[in-house]
Amino acid sequence: MEVADYDKHAYEPFAVTVDLAVLTLRAGALHVLLVERGQEPYAGHLALPGGFVQPAESAETAARRELAEETGLFDVSGLHLEQLRTYSEPDRDPRMRVVSVAFAALLPDAPEPHGGSDAADARWVPYSAARPLAFDHDRILADAHERVGAKLEYSCLATAFCPAEFTLGELQQVYETVWGTTLDRPNFRRKVLATPGFVEQVPGAARLTGGRGKPAALYRAGPATALHPPLLRPSREGRPA
Amino acid sequence: MEVADYDKHAYEPFAVTVDLAVLTLRAGALHVLLVERGQEPYAGHLALPGGFVQPAESAETAARRELAEETGLFDVSGLHLEQLRTYSEPDRDPRMRVVSVAFAALLPDAPEPHGGSDAADARWVPYSAARPLAFDHDRILADAHERVGAKLEYSCLATAFCPAEFTLGELQQVYETVWGTTLDRPNFRRKVLATPGFVEQVPGAARLTGGRGKPAALYRAGPATALHPPLLRPSREGRPA
DNA sequence: CTCTTAATAGTCAGTACGACTATAAAGAGG
DNA sequence: CCTCTTTATAGTCGTACTGACTATTAAGAG
């Protein structure tokens, strides 16, 4: 079949890429993985990592491949990768028509990327210092942040930011950092423990959080994926007067 | 600049399409707009309407254009159109590599589509009778249903299914139909009215819902877009024992 | 005129949540 | 060694929200 006949429409080829908003927590601050562009346009600017989708792979597969290439990680199979949305404005790349499928990825720890061939200069940048980015990546990054913040409310996604075993204080830090708020510690604890399957206590040991204070019990992620009822962000649009 | 040099990757062209899951409520049942395919593959099968993205338009623009063409509607500017996700599995179309950006659209009333040139046979089909569809459209439709059901929980989207003026009973029917549950009427009413900006009462008249019973007050959509706190679906994963 | 239907008003108990206080267990600094 | 600080954990209390109900009102059907 001739492609031009397809469903009575003209067939127009597009370049399809993936863009990755890879988020992690380092030293209590949200960081995003960025690469420095070496070519025009936006040479010297920071941009989200990404690349072309290959002929035989899906956008999800391409996203995992690019993630492995740019971070040097090899266990990309287990981590959380979420399709954000697709950006297709005709002028978003000045050179040609590029449709980009954006993903958000959440990493627990933050190894400094020892770039593969691809990303000699990929590095973690604090979220607050990430702008301005090349192309429409500012918007993609903002959308990723908003999506992750929203998903924390009604899913167990927060554990994706934590190592295999973590304390409730660390889990709370995830919420506080992504939401940019502070939470009441006893209330947070009560809420998390009251949600069946969110976290499970590791029987044996307790960990010293790195320094002072009473050692905290260790937990690992439970089998649940959704939070019922949700853990809502404070403030936003306030209560009815 | 030569496209093959773009960011050290090979440039591969893809066909980019939009697929539309257009939902409405007719006679208390969820319906979806489908077209009958005239060509192979899947000739004679039902499929979601859609088409190619043109060189100068975004996927959102293409979705609105296709929607106008396939339904014969002209006021597509005001209705709710939401990007679902992008489907890019390499073998989703047996003919060629097609990446499709899927949208969910919500229509208030349900005029029988008087097809433009494009969709001589576009028609409303009850959601329960919609499968099997061509390509991976079963999955797209299911994703659209799930997304719409989830958005009803925390957004004011339900009014998009209703005409400009509606009764609380009609609004409740939207929730019940999309969620496939029944809701307690007084509780639903209390919840909706307690959310500021969700609905506003039309001062003058009351409407007879079409037949029996006490006439209901008319409401129109308010300025709010989000529900705080959300209106959660019942059941799902039950309460902790 | 009565029955049915649907809208609206109101009650009540269980639960969740925000704000708060109290206690326990570690390190830091004298 | 003793105390202060820090962090984890336990518990309290009042308000708001929710689910399950009952009651009343206003229409059409027969």
Side-chain angles (χ1 to χ4, degrees):
Chain A
M1 166 175 216
E2 193 52 42
V3 285
D5 294 336
Y6 181 84
D7 276 359
K8 311 180 203 130
H9 279 93
Y11 163 68
E12 286 288 336
F14 293 83
V16 177
T17 63
V18 291
D19 282 317
L20 287 152
V22 188
L23 302 174
T24 196
L25 260 62
R26 310 191 83 190
L30 193 64
H31 283 63
V32 57
L33 187 71
L34 297 178
V35 298
E36 192 172 324
R37 287 185 55 80
Q39 310 178 8
E40 290 295 338
Y42 298 100
H45 279 68
L46 291 173
L48 298 177
F52 281 96
V53 177
Q54 302 295 328
E57 66 185 2
S58 68
E60 282 74 14
T61 305
R64 281 193 194 278
R65 176 180 51 73
E66 291 285 344
L67 184 59
E69 290 176 9
E70 312 242 357
T71 64
L73 292 175
F74 291 104
D75 61 337
V76 291
S77 57
L79 57 83
H80 186 85
L81 218 155
E82 171 154 344
Q83 191 182 126
L84 262 186
R85 52 160 291 181
T86 293
Y87 299 83
S88 59
E89 278 64 43
D91 57 349
R92 60 180 296 278
D93 188 314
R95 291 162 298 181
M96 60 199 225
R97 191 63 204 275
V98 179
V99 169
S100 184
V101 186
F103 290 83
L106 270 43
L107 289 187
D109 57 347
E112 195 62 38
H114 48 292
S117 59
D118 214 1
D121 41 12
R123 61 174 185 268
W124 295 111
V125 175
Y127 183 86
S128 56
R131 293 143 195 266
L133 299 177
F135 305 107
D136 55 357
H137 291 187
D138 277 344
R139 186 182 168 197
I140 298 177
L141 180 57
D143 288 348
H145 187 200
E146 166 56 29
R147 172 76 68 90
V148 170
K151 287 215 87 171
L152 289 190
E153 291 192 320
Y154 57 90
S155 78
C156 299
L157 191 60
T159 54
F161 277 109
C162 297
E165 300 189 342
F166 51 87
T167 68
L168 292 187
E170 290 168 339
L171 188 66
Q172 183 176 346
Q173 265 235 330
V174 172
Y175 280 88
E176 292 183 333
T177 303
V178 174
W179 286 349
T181 59
T182 60
L183 299 173
D184 181 83
R185 197 183 292 264
N187 289 345
F188 178 82
R189 176 189 188 78
R190 184 216 299 163
K191 175 72 182 174
V192 169
L193 294 181
T195 303
F198 190 2
V199 296
E200 297 172 343
Q201 189 165 4
V202 178
R207 183 170 57 178
L208 308 88
T209 334
R212 311 239 278 270
K214 179 174 171 177
L218 284 179
Y219 295 82
R220 63 171 74 95
T225 58
L227 257 49
H228 274 272
L231 183 54
L232 297 177
R233 282 176 270 199
S235 69
R236 295 295 229 138
E237 24 231 316
R239 285 276 168 281
Chain B
M1 167 177 220
E2 195 51 41
V3 286
D5 293 338
Y6 181 86
D7 277 359
K8 311 177 202 133
H9 279 95
Y11 163 70
E12 286 288 336
F14 293 83
V16 178
T17 63
V18 291
D19 282 316
L20 288 151
V22 188
L23 302 174
T24 197
L25 260 63
R26 310 191 84 188
L30 192 63
H31 284 63
V32 57
L33 187 71
L34 297 178
V35 297
E36 193 172 324
R37 288 186 54 83
Q39 309 178 10
E40 290 296 339
Y42 297 101
H45 280 68
L46 292 173
L48 298 178
F52 281 94
V53 177
Q54 302 295 327
E57 66 184 4
S58 68
E60 283 73 14
T61 305
R64 280 192 195 280
R65 175 180 52 74
E66 292 285 346
L67 184 59
E69 290 176 9
E70 313 242 357
T71 65
L73 292 175
F74 291 103
D75 63 337
V76 292
S77 57
L79 58 82
H80 186 86
L81 216 154
E82 172 155 343
Q83 191 182 126
L84 261 187
R85 51 160 292 184
T86 293
Y87 299 83
S88 59
E89 276 64 43
D91 56 350
R92 59 181 296 277
D93 189 315
R95 292 163 298 180
M96 62 200 223
R97 191 63 204 276
V98 179
V99 169
S100 186
V101 185
F103 290 83
L106 270 44
L107 288 186
D109 56 347
E112 195 63 37
H114 48 291
S117 59
D118 213 4
D121 42 11
R123 61 175 186 268
W124 294 111
V125 176
Y127 183 86
S128 56
R131 294 143 194 265
L133 298 177
F135 304 107
D136 54 358
H137 291 187
D138 277 346
R139 187 182 166 196
I140 297 177
L141 181 57
D143 288 348
H145 187 199
E146 167 55 28
R147 172 76 68 91
V148 170
K151 286 216 87 172
L152 288 190
E153 290 192 322
Y154 57 89
S155 77
C156 299
L157 192 61
T159 56
F161 276 111
C162 297
E165 299 188 343
F166 51 88
T167 69
L168 292 188
E170 290 169 338
L171 188 65
Q172 182 176 348
Q173 265 234 330
V174 171
Y175 279 87
E176 292 182 334
T177 304
V178 174
W179 286 350
T181 59
T182 60
L183 299 173
D184 181 82
R185 198 183 292 266
N187 289 344
F188 178 82
R189 174 188 191 77
R190 185 215 306 165
K191 175 74 181 173
V192 170
L193 295 180
T195 303
F198 191 1
V199 296
E200 297 171 343
Q201 188 165 5
V202 178
R207 183 171 57 178
L208 308 87
T209 334
R212 310 239 280 271
K214 179 174 173 178
L218 284 178
Y219 294 83
R220 63 170 75 94
T225 58
L227 258 49
H228 274 272
L231 183 52
L232 297 176
R233 283 176 269 198
S235 67
R236 295 293 230 141
E237 23 229 315
R239 284 277 168 281

